[in-house]
């Protein structure tokens, strides 16, 4: 099965190390001048695709990102990590502000059909909105099987993947027939670092840009954001002298 | 030009260290007062010795990267940062006194061994500015790894990059760029440290003319135990065709470990940068093919000095990275630690330290990228600027580490805190690649030599009756005596918000020139023996370059509307104010009787202590 074509979704998100601040109008978080990077789960998904290519299971990896011009940096990183081609679906300004998983899924599904993809890899969720919807929606739109939260992926024969999933209380082993959607969990692998020579080489790899109109997808938001607020600040605790006092306190708040 | 000056300044330093009137001094004298047309240069520091403000290479702050170069380096920063943050473990490397093989392998994959080797020879072809930006990251995390990488490419094979012929480049650069082979720079010997011309290793051409037979021993060679490619300096007999005399002169060679007779010793135990390998390297009747001569025969001293000179900018940038990280640590400490009911950050003694640390970082960083930018735009005469950046950066980083530990109190002294390692690692930076003491003499003497040539030219044209020269020089001195600035204002080049600081600098440059003038008139050739004065003159020179660097950088930030422009303004004006008073004190002390007497007392104390074999004063308890 050396001719599988893979597509990997690479979302540009606020870097995991950045302290998130809510905008004064409570309609989102501050993104201007903030360090962004590739969604860490997408990095894991990409790494898995690259490893499958190194094992000659996958023949070509297409990296895709939907969003503002800065997504090109994210895709350059993907190319440096081992993707063969990149497609940037450019979405700017207000349209990007209102971009939601369903619209992204429709665009990805369309690209998957156009590119005759056999395996679509995504992170299990993005660390910015934590929606955990895109992989599932893409599978549904394409009517493909889905293996979400994958923590180990093996191939069986020429058209089947054996996927291990970490679930509450144990491990679940499933088989999916290709073509399929796979979403990556944290322990699937440890992504490599883009090396400097590969970053240089990545600049020569094919890079195409398109719009949502070209894909014929309506990306208008279906959900309305009412407000975005900081999580409540944790209240300070207090030290109790002895068990009796503890029980009294617990009774006061009605938990025992 | 750079090499000529380097060489002559080194000849200047030797007699002044030996404190003798050897024939070298008379050579020097004739050079100092030769009637030849005095040399011209755009080096800012060099010109200050004449009291001239040449801002060609200082304003505006260099912006030398092309869009593509900027994009590339922006792409490199993240993965390198991530690698050092998540994979490399500086504490472990320090403890195990090695860079583990898996880290070496990943650094090789990353391309870290051939950052400045041209792309067609398997390197990344980075400019000095791009290289500086990456060394800054490494300096922030692990100076041991930094030295291993620096000893390899900043000095180890830099000679091949700078002086190698096409064959040498094609043969050696690809293997060192990929990290397949590690390189080392072999200059220091047991009897030859700062005085590099005194090395005893010798290479004599074989009778058939095909080889040099190399014999000698090198010590404290970074990467000495792990390198396969060595840049080795040795004396070779060189025939002077004019006199028919044969004299030993230093030549440089590319030596492979695989040549029979090359051996290295066990890794040395050190105070810091333990992860890097330091070892002796011995050459016992090593046959070095003649095609491995690097640069011409007898050109080795020039090669050696140029390599070091070309590498110093990377130290300043690496140390900026170290300081940036130390300042984050300090901030973390003072904004969390509570004593006497308050966070440390509110206390004056804490604020004073943090401000001093921040200023030291700002000045070093400004110098580092000014220098790398100048080098990228083709400046060749930056040896004084490079020396100043190395001195300032290494002393600033030492102070910042020291104060960072102080702010951490007892915790800072604990190994677990991770700061004592940084301090141990930093200590060597004031010693190696030209010790700060020698570099201070180098700065003063090179500058004074330059000024001396001009002074001589002025004297001879006055003697020959050139009224214009007489008038302009006389006018300059009169102005100086009256406390007026003899230097043209640079207000058109500096942002108007920095006008006061710019005027301070202009005045300091004038007074600096005046002080040099005074030293040359008063001491003439004997100035080379006045190390107390030379040191203070160098300190003033360091502060002057610091002023120029921060004024230039801040002017750019103000005109670009950089988000931190107002804070930079505060930093720049504060530093200039401080530097201004230090410079004035230092310059005044070059002629004030009080200070000269102090110098002589200091010399007497040292002499007595040396003669006594230690402290002279008897114990206060008499027991």
């Amino acid at each position: 099965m050396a001719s599988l074509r893979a597509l990997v979704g690479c979302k540009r998100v606020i870097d995991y190390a950045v302290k998130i601040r809510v905008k004064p109008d409570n309609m989102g978080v501050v993104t201007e001048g903030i360090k962004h990077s590739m969604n860490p789960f997408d990095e894991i998904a990409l790494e898995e695709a690259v490893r499958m290519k190194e094992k000659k299971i996958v023949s070509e990896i297409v990296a895709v990102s939907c969003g503002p011009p800065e997504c090109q940096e994210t895709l350059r990183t993907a190319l440096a990590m081992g993707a063969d081609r990149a497609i940037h679906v450019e979405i700017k300004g207000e349209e990007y502000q209102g971009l939601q998983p369903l619209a992204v899924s429709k665009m990805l599904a369309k690209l998957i059909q156009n590119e005759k993809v056999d395996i679509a890899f995504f992170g299990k969720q993005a660390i910015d909105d934590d929606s955990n919807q895109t992989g599932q929606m893409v599978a549904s739109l394409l009517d493909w099987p889905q293996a979400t939260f994958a923590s180990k992926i093996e191939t069986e024969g020429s058209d089947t993947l054996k996927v291990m999933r970490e679930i509450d209380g144990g491990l679940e082993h499933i088989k999916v027939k290709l073509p399929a959607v796979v979403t990556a969990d944290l322990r699937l692998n440890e992504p490599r670092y883009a090396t400097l020579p590969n970053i240089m080489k990545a600049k020569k790899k094919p890079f195409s840009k398109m719009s949502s109109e070209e894909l014929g997808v309506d990306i208008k938001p279906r959900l309305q954001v009412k407000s975005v607020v900081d999580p409540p600040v944790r209240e300070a605790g207090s030290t109790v002298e002895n068990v009796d006092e503890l029980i009294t306190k617990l009774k006061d708040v009605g938990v025992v | 030009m750079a090499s000529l000056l380097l060489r002559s300044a080194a000849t200047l330093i030797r007699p002044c260290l030996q404190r003798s009137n050897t024939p070298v001094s008379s050579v020097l004298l004739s050079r100092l007062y030769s009637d030849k047309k005095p040399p011209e240069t755009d080096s800012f520091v060099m010109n200050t010795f004449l009291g001239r403000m040449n801002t060609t290479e200082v304003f505006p702050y260099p912006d030398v990267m092309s869009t593509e170069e900027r994009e590339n380096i922006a792409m490199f920063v993240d993965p390198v940062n991530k690698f050092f943050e998540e994979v490399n473990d500086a504490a472990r490397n320090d403890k195990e006194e090695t860079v583990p093989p898996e880290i070496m392998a990943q650094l090789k994959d990353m391309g870290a061994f051939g950052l400045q080797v041209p792309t067609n020879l398997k390197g990344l072809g980075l400019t000095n500015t791009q290289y500086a930006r990456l060394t800054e990251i490494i300096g922030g995390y692990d100076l041991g790894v930094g030295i291993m990488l620096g000893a390899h490419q900043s000095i180890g094979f830099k000679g091949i990059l700078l002086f190698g012929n096409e064959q040498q480049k094609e043969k050696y650069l690809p293997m060192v760029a990929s990290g397949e082979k590690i390189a080392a720079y072999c200059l220091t010997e047991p009897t030859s440290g700062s005085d590099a011309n005194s090395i005893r290793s010798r290479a004599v051409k074989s009778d058939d003319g095909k080889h040099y037979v190399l014999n000698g021993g090198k010590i404290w060679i970074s990467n000495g135990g792990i390198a396969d490619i060595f840049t080795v300096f040795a004396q070779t007999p060189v025939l002077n065709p004019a006199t028919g005399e044969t004299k030993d002169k230093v030549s440089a060679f590319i030596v492979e470990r695989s040549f029979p007779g090359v051996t290295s010793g066990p890794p040395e135990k050190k105070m810091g940068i333990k992860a890097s390998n330091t070892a002796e390297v011995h050459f016992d009747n090593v046959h070095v093919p003649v095609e491995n001569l690097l640069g011409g025969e007898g050109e080795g001293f020039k090669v050696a000095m140029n390599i070091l000179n070309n590498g110093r900018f990377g130290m300043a940038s690496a140390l900026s990275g170290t300081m940036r990280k130390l300042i984050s640590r300090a901030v973390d400490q003072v904004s969390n630690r509570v004593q006497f009911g308050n966070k440390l950050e509110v206390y004056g003694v804490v604020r004073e330290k943090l401000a001093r640390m921040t200023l030291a970082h700002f000045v070093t960083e400004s110098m580092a990228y000014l220098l790398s930018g100048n080098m990228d735009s083709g400046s060749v005469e930056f040896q004084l600027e490079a020396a100043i950046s190395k001195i300032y950066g290494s002393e600033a980083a030492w102070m910042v580490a020291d104060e960072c530990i102080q702010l951490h109190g007892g915790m800072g002294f604990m190994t677990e805190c991770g700061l004592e390692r940084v301090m141990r690692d930093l200590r060597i930076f004031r010693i190696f690649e030209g010790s700060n003491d020698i570099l201070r003499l180098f700065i003063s003497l090179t500058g004074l030599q330059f000024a001396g040539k001009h002074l001589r030219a002025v004297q001879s044209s006055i003697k020959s009756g050139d009224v214009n020269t007489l008038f302009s020089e006389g006018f300059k001195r009169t102005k100086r005596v009256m406390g007026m600035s003899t230097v043209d204002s640079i207000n058109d080049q500096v942002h108007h918000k920095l006008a006061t600081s710019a005027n301070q600098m202009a005045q300091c440059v004038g007074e600096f020139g005046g002080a040099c003038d005074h030293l040359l008139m008063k001491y003439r050739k004997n100035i080379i023996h006045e190390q107390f004065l030379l040191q203070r003159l160098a300190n003033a020179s360091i502060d002057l370059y610091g002023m120029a660097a921060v004024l230039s950088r801040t002017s750019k930030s103000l005109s670009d509307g950089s988000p931190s422009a107002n804070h930079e303004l505060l930093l720049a004006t504060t530093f200039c104010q401080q530097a201004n008073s230090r410079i004035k004190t230092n310059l005044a002390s070059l002629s004030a009787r009080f200070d000269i007497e102090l110098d002589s007392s200091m010399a007497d104390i040292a002499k007595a202590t040396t003669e006594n074999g230690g402290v002279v004063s008897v114990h206060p308890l008499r027991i």
Side-chain angles (χ1 to χ4, degrees), chain B residues 273-287:
Chain B
I273 57 163
K274 293 184 182 204
S276 69
N277 171 284
T278 311
E280 293 181 5
V281 182
H282 295 280
F283 307 96
D284 182 17
N285 278 321
V286 177
H287 283 57

Side-chain angles (χ1 to χ4, degrees), chain B residues 167-214:
Chain B
Q167 291 79 0
Q168 289 169 338
K169 285 183 180 172
E170 271 166 34
K171 180 169 179 192
Y172 290 110
L173 290 180
M175 60 172 100
V176 289
S178 63
E180 178 198 336
K181 305 276 186 203
I182 306 293
Y185 174 93
C186 304
L187 177 64
T188 302
E189 297 182 5
T191 56
S192 168
S194 295
D195 183 6
N197 246 330
S198 71
I199 54 169
R200 293 182 183 174
S201 292
R202 259 184 127 239
V204 181
K205 216 176 211 167
S206 62
D207 292 337
D208 62 4
K210 287 186 178 159
H211 293 93
Y212 285 92
V213 180
L214 171 65

